[in-house]
């Protein structure tokens, strides 16, 4: 009942500013508002380090006077503040240049009807319980192995909120959502070598989080497995991106096919729709309406209805990722991706994690990448890495202080397998990704 009232109030605020904008001469307008309550607990060495309470909100409005655009925002939702915010947006619009591509998304694309995706599972923001869970994760990690010598902290976060979007097409809609997460980071030492690693869990439902003891135990196991890391010689070898890292690799693909990169001509995949990017068996589908999904949304940040889509079919790129603005710049139609992607699912080739190592045979399992060495304009990829050396399908020892390099256009074509054990804690659901050869620079 309380959340329903909050949604009603947020919708009213959006309606009010849109009405004010119209009265002040705006030919079109759009506004969004959010309200979030939450707690963030941090512990270190089983002692509470931080306790933060969140009660944030804000409204932003964009007005259009013909092809001129002005934007303003406020955290104060009083009538006077809303009036002033609209006035400032109108004033800004007067001084901006003409842009024929600006304006809200087309009315025909609005999500006037949309499903309830069950994204809101409220829990009392219980500080004591949150502290207990963070400390329990640390306790489990510190007691898991004698080589764990220190903690870099554990955290518990809970956020309950709602967002509403509306525009001058008469569209005003919103929905509540919840998000809970917990993490633990510890430090290990063996023969003078120190390493750190972590584990985490995230869910729409607090009850679906992995138990604190398991998170702590996994953090310790990950850290201990890295002790005794060695350098390896420079070579060209197969590289397996662990399933936790594989979404990041495909994240560069997301950037390259996003409208902003394309209309600026700053993407190595410019003019690649209906062209082969991946092997012919490789597929990606998008499913925005998965119930409880971490990246699910009934509409995008412009009110455009989200729909199931095929992004890659038989290795061929089917569409770009466009907002209304980038679509107009490119002479296309928005794809409902204002604000990002929604639950990409990558088709696997059937091997579990162990079978993926067997498939690789001898090569490098990458479990961490560092640095920003990715050029979306050219596709050049070069990043610091750490992981494990594998021989005959079996992990031999941890490795560090290496660099992996290639060109993404070539690397995507060289993918030979995708694991069946998927990473589900983000917007891209994929297993580990095996590339048949990369340049690995070591000692």
């Amino acid at each position: 009942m309380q959340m329903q009232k909050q949604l009603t109030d947020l919708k009213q605020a959006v309606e009010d500013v849109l009405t004010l904008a119209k009265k002040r001469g705006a030919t079109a307008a759009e506004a969004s508002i959010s309200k979030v309550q939450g707690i963030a607990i941090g512990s270190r060495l089983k002692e509470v380090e931080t306790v933060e309470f969140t009660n944030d909100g804000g409204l932003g409005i964009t007005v259009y006077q013909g092809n001129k655009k002005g934007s303003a925002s406020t955290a104060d939702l009083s009538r006077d503040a809303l009036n002033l915010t609209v006035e400032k947006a109108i004033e800004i619009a007067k001084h901006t240049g003409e842009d024929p591509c600006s304006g809200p998304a087309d009315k025909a694309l609005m999500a006037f009807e949309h499903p309830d995706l069950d994204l809101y599972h409220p829990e009392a923001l219980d500080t004591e319980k949150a502290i207990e869970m963070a400390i329990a994760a640390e306790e489990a990690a510190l007691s898991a192995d004698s080589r764990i010598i220190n903690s870099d902290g554990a955290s518990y976060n809970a956020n309950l909120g709602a967002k509403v979007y509306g525009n001058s097409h008469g569209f005003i809609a919103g929905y509540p959502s919840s998000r809970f997460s917990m993490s633990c980071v510890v430090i290990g030492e063996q023969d003078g070598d120190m390493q750190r690693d972590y584990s985490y869990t995230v869910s729409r439902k607090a009850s679906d989080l992995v138990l604190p003891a398991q998170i702590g135990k996994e953090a310790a196991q990950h850290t201990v497995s890295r002790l005794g890391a060695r350098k390896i010689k420079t070579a060209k070898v197969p590289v397996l991106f662990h399933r936790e890292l594989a979404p990041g690799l495909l994240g560069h693909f997301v950037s390259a096919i996003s409208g902003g990169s394309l209309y600026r001509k700053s993407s190595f995949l410019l003019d690649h729709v209906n062209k082969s990017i991946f092997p012919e068996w490789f597929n990606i589908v998008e499913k925005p309406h998965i119930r409880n999904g971490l990246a699910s949304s009934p509409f995008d940040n412009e009110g455009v209805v989200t729909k199931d889509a095929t992004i890659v079919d038989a290795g061929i790129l089917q569409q770009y990722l466009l907002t209304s603005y980038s679509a107009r710049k490119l002479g296309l139609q928005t794809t409902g991706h204002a604000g990002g992607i929604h639950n990409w699912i990558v088709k696997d080739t059937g091997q579990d994690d162990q079978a993926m190592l067997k498939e690789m045979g001898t090569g490098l399992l990458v479990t961490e990448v560092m640095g920003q060495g990715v050029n979306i304009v050219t596709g050049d990829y070069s990043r610091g890495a750490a992981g494990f050396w594998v021989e005959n399908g079996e992990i031999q020892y941890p490795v560090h202080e290496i660099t992996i390099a290639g060109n993404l256009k070539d690397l995507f074509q060289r993918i030979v397998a995708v694991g069946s054990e998927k990473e589900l804690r983000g917007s891209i659901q994929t297993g580990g990704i095996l590339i048949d050869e990369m340049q690995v620079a070591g000692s």
Side-chain angles (χ1 to χ4, degrees), residues 24 165 190 286 353 379 397 406-407:
R24 283 164 173 73
Y165 169 85
Q190 177 179 293
E286 184 172 48
D353 288 354
Y397 49 82
N407 185 277

Side-chain angles (χ1 to χ4, degrees), residues 261-321:
S261 298
L262 297 165
Y263 77 74
R264 296 184 182 95
K265 300 187 183 302
S266 58
S267 168
F268 71 95
L269 294 180
L270 191 67
D271 299 323
H272 272 67
V273 167
N274 297 323
K275 293 183 180 179
S276 177
I277 308 296
F278 297 93
E280 63 179 16
W281 51 265
F282 193 93
N283 285 53
I284 300 175
V285 296
E286 184 172 48
K287 293 186 173 295
H289 298 166
I290 295 175
R291 292 179 67 80
N292 291 317
L294 287 171
S296 295
S297 181
F299 51 84
D300 76 355
N301 288 357
E302 296 180 315
V304 175
V305 64
T306 52
K307 299 177 180 179
D308 287 1
T310 299
I311 307 299
V312 175
D313 182 40
I316 297 171
L317 176 62
Q318 301 297 303
Q319 65 170 63
Y320 289 135
L321 310 177

Side-chain angles (χ1 to χ4, degrees), residues 13 20 33 73 94 109 138 147 161 168 182 202 207 218 229 254 275 283 325 357 371 405 434:
L20 288 169
I33 188 171
S73 61
K94 294 177 181 177
L109 303 176
E138 274 199 298
R147 289 168 289 182
S168 46
M182 180 171 49
V202 59
S207 59
E218 288 177 0
V254 173
K275 293 183 180 179
N283 285 53
Y325 183 82
L357 293 175
L434 176 59

Side-chain angles (χ1 to χ4, degrees), residues 52-297:
E52 297 181 7
F53 295 89
T54 303
N55 189 14
D56 293 334
L59 178 143
I61 182 167
T62 298
V63 300
Y64 302 93
Q65 293 189 310
N67 291 328
K68 293 186 173 185
K69 169 185 171 182
S71 299
S73 61
T74 179
D76 183 351
L77 302 183
S78 67
R79 184 73 180 183
D80 288 344
L82 296 181
N83 267 298
L84 181 60
T85 303
V86 173
E87 288 176 7
K88 293 299 183 184
I90 294 285
E91 184 66 24
I92 292 169
K94 294 177 181 177
H95 300 285
T96 60
E98 297 272 347
D99 188 342
C101 295
S102 65
D106 296 345
K107 184 175 182 178
L109 303 176
M110 294 295 102
F112 286 105
E113 294 184 8
H114 54 266
D116 176 4
L117 301 181
D118 196 28
L119 304 180
Y120 183 59
H121 297 273
E123 291 272 343
L125 299 177
D126 188 335
T127 306
E128 292 303 319
K129 181 180 178 182
I131 290 171
E132 289 175 7
M133 294 179 73
I135 290 176
E138 274 199 298
E139 286 179 335
L142 291 167
S143 62
D145 192 293
S146 60
R147 289 168 289 182
I148 299 298
I149 62 165
N150 206 342
S151 170
D152 216 11
S155 67
Y156 180 92
N157 293 270
N159 289 286
L160 307 174
K163 68 177 183 178
V164 170
Y165 169 85
N167 59 33
S168 46
H169 295 317
F171 175 82
I172 298 179
Y175 57 89
S177 64
S178 56
R179 190 179 184 92
F180 303 88
S181 64
M182 180 171 49
S183 66
C184 182
V185 187
V186 290
I187 300 167
E189 182 180 19
Q190 177 179 293
D191 300 328
D193 176 38
M194 296 180 68
Q195 299 285 347
R196 69 194 290 275
D197 213 324
Y198 68 97
S199 183
Y200 76 100
T201 178
V202 59
S203 178
R204 295 283 186 187
K205 297 180 181 179
S207 59
D208 285 347
L209 293 176
V210 176
L211 293 175
Q214 182 65 22
I215 291 298
K217 183 179 178 182
E218 288 177 0
Q221 289 172 340
H222 294 167
T223 300
V224 167
S225 70
R226 298 179 59 161
L227 292 172
R230 312 179 196 175
K231 297 180 182 179
I232 55 175
K233 293 186 180 297
T234 297
K236 288 186 176 181
V237 297
V239 171
L240 173 58
F241 284 80
H242 189 274
R243 54 188 157 93
E244 291 187 4
L245 290 188
L249 181 65
L250 293 178
H252 306 311
F253 173 59
V254 173
S255 298
I257 64 170
S258 293
S261 298
L262 297 165
Y263 77 74
R264 296 184 182 95
K265 300 187 183 302
S266 58
S267 168
F268 71 95
L269 294 180
L270 191 67
D271 299 323
H272 272 67
V273 167
N274 297 323
K275 293 183 180 179
S276 177
I277 308 296
F278 297 93
E280 63 179 16
W281 51 265
F282 193 93
N283 285 53
I284 300 175
V285 296
E286 184 172 48
K287 293 186 173 295
H289 298 166
I290 295 175
R291 292 179 67 80
N292 291 317
L294 287 171
S296 295
S297 181

